[in-house]
Amino acid sequence: MRLIIIGPPGSGKGTQANRLSERLGLAHVSTGDILRDAIKRQSPEGRSASSYVATGRLVPDELVNEIIRALFRGKKAPRQFIMDGYPRTVAQADFFDRVLKDQGLDLGGVIFLQVPDEEITERLSGRRTCPNPTCGASYHVKFQPPRRPDVCDRCDTRLVQREDDKPETIAKRLAVYHAVYDELVDHYRRGGCLKEIDGVGDMEAVYERILEALKTC
Ligand code: AMP
């Protein structure tokens, strides 16, 4: 199966994509993770992207598209996948349509997670992540606190707040999101299997809603 999951930052895309990738045996392709890794390694792509990511702005389409093109042309090109955080603009969606066409692949469905802004702000500002590259566990100060404050349960590393989860940056990311998403959603609504899912509530309940919706793809 080939899926895209879209929604505002903090809508739970990453968490749901993880679970779906395990359950359905899909490669989980997150451009946010790819970019953060490139920034950490200080690769040329990472150096170009770092100021955008740190301030919550979208990295230019050409740069992200190039990363995706290389991935899909490479030896380890995913065949069954869930895209998380890409495409994020209509230009990226057009580009990705072409990448898939070139590879003779079609899209099974697009999951659109809907969560209101106030809830997004509360979720993101409380998020803490483990910076240990082999762990990467995620917590929330209110909804999923670690056993000891600010320390990872799994590997004892001190937790951090992502630079782009700071309040000024969250507002910026939401503004960016609203500016481009209407068009993106329209693109996929026209193109076929768009599933609009209520992303509010328990993670488990949202997951069940997604599985139910995918039955009709
Ligand atoms: P995420 O983890 O998906 O919220 O992405 C974190 C940051 O990476 C975003 O705020 C953007 O700066 C950048 N980013 C990730 N994916 C894309 C994309 N498809 N297009 C442009 N920028 C992106």
Side-chain angles (χ1 to χ4, degrees), residues 127-143:
R127 185 157 75 171
R128 299 292 180 274
T129 52
C130 176
N132 175 354
T134 59
C135 177
S138 189
Y139 300 87
H140 191 282
V141 290
K142 184 166 157 197
F143 306 125

Side-chain angles (χ1 to χ4, degrees), residues 5 56 76 170 172 176 188 198 212:
I5 187 161
K76 292 190 185 151
I170 293 173
K172 176 85 197 164
V176 167
Y188 286 118
D198 177 7
E212 193 55 39

Side-chain angles (χ1 to χ4, degrees), residues 4 93-94 97 100 106-110 183-195 217:
I4 297 176
D94 285 335
D97 288 346
L100 293 181
D106 55 4
L107 210 50
V110 179
E183 264 189 303
L184 184 66
V185 167
D186 273 354
H187 176 96
Y188 286 118
R189 194 174 278 128
R190 279 196 307 275
C193 198
L194 181 78
K195 300 292 178 190
C217 269

